[in-house]
Amino acid sequence: MMAGIRNEVRWTGTVSSDWSDASNWTTISGQSLSNRVPDSLDVARIGDTLFVNQPEISTDEKINVLRFADTKAATITFNGGSLEIVGSGRGNWSSNVSHIINVNNDTLTVG
């Protein structure tokens, strides 16, 4: 991957709530525009487009940045999986939208 080019992958939840299903994601920028599950080099964008299914994490996942937006409120639920955010969690709001990360007994690591 070239320096300075980071893939941004948007949650669409088109097929299901399964975070690890590439059909639930749309790659919107970066070097590779094929749809895929975001990885440790990617920005995962949630809430910047309308979607039906809320994301659920049941496997071990690693992303670079988790970015929330204000088009749709999101609840990320952990169900036997984990999420490691190697960079940061961010948000971009201009309206009153709340997001929830329901970790249950699983693991969320940031930084």
Side-chain angles (χ1 to χ4, degrees):
M1 187 154 141
M2 295 170 41
I5 297 177
R6 179 179 294 150
N7 293 309
E8 295 202 19
V9 188
R10 174 184 290 149
W11 175 260
T12 60
T14 309
V15 175
S16 67
S17 293
D18 186 358
W19 177 288
S20 64
D21 185 338
S23 299
N24 288 317
W25 296 93
T26 299
T27 304
I28 58 173
S29 69
Q31 187 173 356
S32 171
L33 292 179
S34 60
N35 292 344
R36 63 175 200 240
V37 176
D39 63 26
S40 63
L41 299 175
D42 297 335
V43 175
R45 296 172 60 140
I46 299 178
D48 67 347
T49 190
L50 296 175
F51 58 87
V52 176
N53 296 298
Q54 297 284 350
E56 184 175 295
I57 298 174
S58 58
T59 56
D60 294 336
E61 302 292 341
K62 183 187 268 189
I63 59 175
N64 190 276
V65 174
L66 177 60
R67 178 169 289 159
F68 288 107
D70 63 357
T71 301
K72 172 138 175 115
T75 299
I76 301 173
T77 301
F78 287 59
N79 187 13
S82 68
L83 177 63
E84 181 179 352
I85 304 169
V86 296
S88 62
R90 301 178 184 169
N92 184 18
W93 287 262
S94 60
S95 63
N96 189 16
V97 173
S98 296
H99 300 287
I100 298 169
I101 300 175
N102 184 359
V103 178
N104 294 317
N105 292 320
D106 300 311
T107 304
L108 171 64
T109 304
V110 180

